[in-house]
Amino acid sequence: MTKTLCLDFGNTRLKAAIFEDEELKEIVFFNDNTESLHILSNATSFHQLNHLSHLPFTTPVAKPETIGADRLALAAAAVHYFPGRNNLVIGLGSCITYNFINKFNEFIGGSISPGMEIRLKSLNHYTAKLPLVKADWNVPLIGYDTNSNILSGVVLGMAKEIDGIIDEYNEKFNNFNVLLTGGDMVHLGSHLKKKIFADPELIFKGLYAISKVNNP
């Protein structure tokens, strides 16, 4: 049995997924620090994902070196689970990333927009009186006070954005998968009208797929 540790270095903490062969067994959290990289580099067969990594797809875009590691991992997961298909992977993190991988396993780009936390914080930061509201999934269409007005605008606005982007892709590629992942799935999933394959751990599964290519 082969054990693989896949690491996601976030802004404030480190998440790690433990795989036994191809099965994800456990996810653990650590305080993020640079010493972790030195320890792993010295004690394990360690590969840090970057634009020079071997990937199970190609990146025919203008500047492949600027593609974020999170987007590379999501694209790898799409290719691993749905090879030879058009795939739109939507990541709901600090930003919403739309990542399109065509049926030839080419990552051809997508788009980036502000995520839920950024939107909520910006309303508080750039206005004189609006409060900082905690994200929630249970929001009304018609807000009845300041907090519910903000949640209605942010949560339902994001849901309509995602539905609209999917509609645009559907006009161009009428046969494709939509994959959804990220921490804000719990707030947005029930408000989306499209049938979507949702997996909160998709980024780890993509990292595992990349590890198989770089550490066979």
Side-chain angles (χ1 to χ4, degrees):
M1 180 180 294
T2 302
K3 289 191 175 183
T4 304
L5 185 67
C6 295
L7 305 170
D8 178 14
F9 289 85
N11 293 324
T12 58
R13 63 181 180 178
L14 168 62
K15 290 174 63 179
I18 302 170
F19 287 81
E20 291 182 359
D21 292 331
E22 294 198 8
E23 185 178 356
L24 198 165
K25 287 291 189 179
E26 185 179 2
I27 295 176
V28 292
F29 298 87
F30 303 96
N31 292 326
D32 194 351
N33 62 76
T34 56
E35 186 63 25
S36 304
L37 290 177
H38 299 298
I39 295 172
L40 291 167
S41 298
N42 293 329
T44 67
S45 177
F46 178 71
H47 177 81
Q48 185 173 2
L49 176 59
N50 58 66
H51 70 283
L52 298 177
S53 299
H54 297 297
L55 301 169
F57 55 90
T58 59
T59 54
V61 296
K63 294 183 178 181
E65 68 275 10
T66 65
I67 304 172
D70 58 332
R71 301 184 76 185
L72 294 176
L74 294 180
V79 169
H80 183 76
Y81 289 102
F82 301 99
R85 299 284 301 276
N86 292 321
N87 292 290
L88 175 63
V89 189
I90 304 172
L92 302 175
S94 298
C95 295
I96 307 175
T97 64
Y98 300 90
N99 310 280
F100 191 75
I101 308 92
N102 65 21
K103 62 184 179 181
F104 305 109
N105 292 344
E106 298 172 321
F107 177 86
I108 59 175
S111 52
I112 302 173
S113 70
M116 185 172 296
E117 185 176 1
I118 290 176
R119 298 183 194 213
L120 292 172
K121 285 184 175 179
S122 67
L123 287 173
N124 171 247
H125 180 75
Y126 290 108
T127 64
K129 295 183 178 181
L130 292 180
L132 178 60
V133 179
K134 184 178 179 181
D136 197 351
W137 68 270
N138 187 17
V139 300
L141 173 63
I142 302 174
Y144 49 84
D145 58 14
T146 301
N147 283 20
S148 58
N149 272 263
I150 290 173
L151 285 173
S152 178
V154 170
V155 177
L156 299 185
M158 288 177 68
K160 295 305 179 185
E161 173 195 316
I162 293 169
D163 282 334
I165 293 291
I166 294 172
D167 285 339
E168 292 290 324
Y169 274 89
N170 195 47
E171 290 187 12
K172 190 173 181 65
F173 307 94
N174 58 12
N175 183 19
F176 67 101
N177 294 314
V178 182
L179 292 76
L180 185 71
T181 192
D184 285 327
M185 276 176 45
V186 294
H187 306 307
L188 285 168
S190 62
H191 299 290
L192 300 175
K193 67 180 182 181
K194 303 296 183 182
K195 183 178 180 181
I196 293 176
F197 173 81
D199 186 341
E201 312 306 341
L202 200 62
I203 192 168
F204 283 125
K205 294 176 180 179
L207 290 172
Y208 178 81
I210 292 173
S211 78
K212 297 294 286 184
V213 178
N214 289 273
N215 296 306

